[in-house]
Amino acid sequence: MKKEQIKIQPKQTFPLTIKRLGINGEGVGYFKKQVVFVPGALPGEEVVVEATKIHPKYAEARIKKIRIRSPHRIKPLCPVYAQCGGCQLQHLQYDQQLKEKRDIVIQALERHTKLDVSKLDIRETIGMENPWGYRNKSSFQVREKDGKILAGLYGLNSHQLINIDQCAVQHAQTNEATTQVKKILEDLNIPIYHEKTRKGLVRTIVTRVGMQTGELQIVLITSKKELPKKDLIIQEIQKRLPNVKSIVQNINGEKTSLIFGEETHSLAGREFIQEVLGDLQFELSARTFFQLNPVQTVKLYNEVKQAAGLTGVEKVVDAYCGVGTIGLWLADKAGEVRGMDVIPESIEDAKKNAKRHGFTNTKYVPGKAEEILPKWVKKGWKPDVIVVDPPRTGLDHRLLQTILQVEAKKLIYVSCNPSTLAKDIQTLSKKYDVTYIQPVDMFPQTSHVECCALLIKK
């Protein structure tokens, strides 16, 4: 008779050796052959943990004591690091973060593909010279407590608002802007939205900075259109933050966790701020998606360009093109770039961006790549290179099938989620070989890792 496996009990305390980091930056160990996830534990550490949640296939636990510390463990820079949950790896030395991120990519490939991962060229993670203060945008929820206005993020697995005065990964100008806007709302007694009663007005303060231009944008997200003392608010923002070039109001009266509502009004200045990436200039309006770390974006896009190896004649498809950033990065070396995206406003922006930079070899259409691409091929326009930069969920199943049918010579896959990258590579391996995978650290101090993978048709 087979012995029943001993199950971990809730609140059970036991020793654990941490083997690796999980996809969310938590330590992973095995107790009696059961997987245990421990936030804050690092590979190589021996810890005593207490089980907090038991799932059918794994358990979660918290550290009670560290018996043997990792030599790479450091003191987190941020005072609210433990409560906030926005970063997961501040307690790990930066050079080691880069090694662990490469390992997270390897683990995903081992778990989700049948490839011999030891034979794959998985490169060292490209990091930042200064891995702090890199985020160009912050969206902080607002609350009122004892007459003071708090702004920050909801705590880890809770609905407690953690007030953040100086976020260590935010650009200094966005921190300063949020602080000043908080003071202005306080000084002018502007009513703050209350989630339970749904009374009050201001829900969220969004700030964005053009890192190369220094231009600031402030977006006040309110539950109603009427904004009391509007002119005074504008005056004070302009007085206290001279770099502000755009003040915008967005209205979101819905009971939702989404930040932006559908209605946006310009209050003062332009509707956008300018940002520069390499030789390209972009206008960022309040709801425009733009990479949050421009310094690393340039490195990532240069990796895409290198992988594409264009000679001036190739037909390139930029699926999920957004405002056209990747395609425009390649356009000077391509024969023609065609992009598509499901958001019509992004397509309009992409067309404007192409025109502003004088590119005549680009074409942008709204819609889904899996519907548009086959039509182009039918009309005799077949791409040589396809670039995809999908959301965390990975490539749409129909787009995967389309790519396999179209058979472009090269596929460049830009990924923000190693698990879905690996699953998609497995599907594509019917017709494509992985030449190499280059991890890029877009979000230092967090468990996120981006990759640029080059796949060549067999």
Side-chain angles (χ1 to χ4, degrees):
M1 230 174 88
K2 213 169 86 169
K3 258 179 45 181
E4 274 295 297
Q5 200 179 351
I6 300 167
K7 288 279 182 228
I8 297 168
Q9 298 301 316
K11 300 221 162 167
Q12 185 178 340
T13 301
F14 51 92
L16 199 65
T17 301
I18 304 300
K19 299 289 186 197
R20 54 187 172 84
L21 278 189
I23 195 118
N24 300 313
E26 67 286 76
V28 181
Y30 297 88
F31 181 68
K32 302 194 173 165
K33 296 193 176 158
Q34 273 192 286
V35 181
V36 185
F37 292 111
V38 188
L42 293 173
E45 291 191 328
E46 288 185 18
V47 291
V48 178
V49 301
E50 179 186 14
T52 51
K53 269 191 189 160
I54 312 296
H55 302 265
K57 292 190 173 169
Y58 63 94
E60 292 176 51
R62 64 178 186 88
I63 301 173
K64 288 197 82 169
K65 187 179 168 197
I66 302 175
R67 282 185 178 159
I68 296 178
R69 293 169 73 85
S70 161
H72 308 295
R73 180 180 279 278
I74 53 171
K75 186 173 183 283
L77 190 71
C78 170
V80 292
Y81 173 59
Q83 297 95 46
C84 167
C87 298
Q88 300 82 39
L89 297 177
Q90 279 194 24
H91 60 296
L92 179 60
Q93 267 170 349
Y94 187 58
D95 58 345
Q96 196 61 26
Q97 286 183 30
L98 298 177
K99 289 182 182 139
E100 295 297 347
K101 289 190 181 195
R102 178 176 179 266
D103 188 57
I104 286 172
V105 176
I106 291 169
Q107 286 178 49
L109 291 159
E110 286 173 345
R111 190 174 310 130
H112 301 296
T113 74
K114 297 188 174 78
L115 304 174
D116 182 348
V117 180
S118 64
K119 290 202 170 77
L120 287 182
D121 178 6
I122 299 163
R123 302 184 171 176
E124 300 294 318
T125 310
I126 296 173
M128 290 191 84
E129 287 75 46
N130 173 18
W132 300 99
Y134 57 80
R135 284 179 69 103
N136 60 3
K137 182 182 179 182
S138 73
S139 307
F140 282 176
Q141 310 299 325
V142 193
R143 279 270 168 89
E144 189 172 2
K145 195 179 176 189
D146 309 326
K148 294 283 289 173
I149 292 179
L150 311 179
L153 302 171
Y154 291 119
L156 201 54
N157 306 325
S158 85
H159 215 62
Q160 279 300 101
L161 191 81
I162 308 294
N163 188 49
I164 302 170
D165 286 323
Q166 288 294 323
C167 176
V169 293
Q170 279 294 150
H171 190 282
Q173 265 190 268
T174 66
N175 279 328
E176 171 63 10
T178 305
T179 302
Q180 291 299 341
V181 173
K182 267 199 306 196
K183 282 185 190 154
I184 292 164
L185 297 175
E186 223 168 75
D187 294 348
L188 297 175
N189 281 324
I190 305 300
I192 300 304
Y193 184 72
H194 190 286
E195 239 183 351
K196 285 204 174 71
T197 62
R198 298 185 66 186
K199 290 191 166 65
L201 188 66
V202 180
R203 293 176 76 140
T204 312
I205 299 169
V206 179
T207 63
R208 175 144 64 177
V209 63
M211 288 207 180
Q212 296 297 319
T213 61
E215 295 186 357
L216 268 171
Q217 180 174 58
I218 309 281
V219 185
L220 291 177
I221 295 177
T222 58
S223 58
K224 294 190 279 287
K225 190 175 176 179
E226 292 68 45
L227 184 56
K229 305 183 188 169
K230 186 163 75 177
D231 295 344
L232 271 174
I233 295 171
I234 294 166
Q235 242 174 319
E236 284 301 315
I237 290 176
Q238 289 172 331
K239 192 168 89 187
R240 299 188 203 189
L241 295 161
N243 283 3
V244 168
K245 296 286 180 277
S246 169
I247 306 173
V248 175
Q249 180 188 7
N250 174 272
I251 295 127
N252 184 355
E254 301 298 312
K255 199 176 162 75
T256 172
S257 59
L258 292 175
I259 292 175
F260 280 95
E262 290 304 311
E263 200 181 327
T264 308
H265 301 282
S266 180
L267 297 181
R270 301 191 303 247
E271 285 183 13
F272 57 85
I273 54 169
Q274 303 268 8
E275 179 57 303
V276 178
L277 272 190
D279 300 329
L280 304 176
Q281 199 163 17
F282 295 94
E283 293 180 353
L284 311 180
S285 56
R287 294 184 65 188
T288 304
F289 170 78
F290 196 71
Q291 295 280 5
L292 292 165
N293 182 343
V295 174
Q296 292 300 86
T297 299
V298 169
K299 293 181 191 173
L300 177 68
Y301 289 179
N302 281 338
E303 285 301 320
V304 174
K305 198 164 196 172
Q306 206 176 333
L310 302 174
T311 62
V313 296
E314 291 84 359
K315 298 186 184 83
V316 179
V317 163
D318 178 9
Y320 305 94
C321 70
V323 298
T325 34
I326 292 182
L328 295 178
W329 204 261
L330 305 176
D332 64 331
K333 292 275 191 287
E336 186 181 3
V337 174
R338 291 188 178 187
M340 64 284 274
D341 198 287
V342 290
I343 300 170
E345 295 87 48
S346 294
I347 291 298
E348 289 312 306
D349 281 344
K351 286 178 182 171
K352 275 187 217 153
N353 288 331
K355 193 176 175 187
R356 189 182 320 121
H357 293 97
F359 290 119
T360 52
N361 60 340
T362 58
K363 175 179 175 154
Y364 292 101
V365 292
K368 294 179 174 177
E370 58 271 18
E371 289 165 10
I372 292 163
L373 199 46
K375 288 178 187 166
W376 287 345
V377 174
K378 225 177 204 162
K379 287 182 180 164
W381 192 90
K382 186 184 159 180
D384 303 294
V385 179
I386 297 176
V387 183
V388 292
D389 183 3
R392 291 191 64 75
T393 45
L395 292 176
D396 178 273
H397 171 72
R398 287 182 304 160
L399 182 53
L400 279 167
Q401 300 314 312
T402 303
I403 290 168
L404 289 170
Q405 281 157 10
V406 170
E407 297 190 338
K409 294 198 258 322
K410 271 186 186 179
L411 173 67
I412 299 162
Y413 192 135
V414 179
S415 158
C416 60
N417 181 347
S419 299
T420 51
L421 170 66
K423 287 173 189 169
D424 290 346
I425 281 176
Q426 179 55 36
T427 307
L428 293 162
S429 65
K430 289 180 209 147
K431 290 193 181 174
Y432 284 89
D433 286 322
V434 178
T435 307
Y436 65 83
I437 296 176
Q438 174 63 67
V440 179
D441 189 19
M442 295 288 276
F443 298 104
Q445 320 308 334
T446 78
S447 56
H448 291 284
V449 55
E450 310 269 323
C451 291
C452 172
L454 172 61
L455 284 77
I456 303 277
K457 190 177 166 295
K458 290 181 179 178

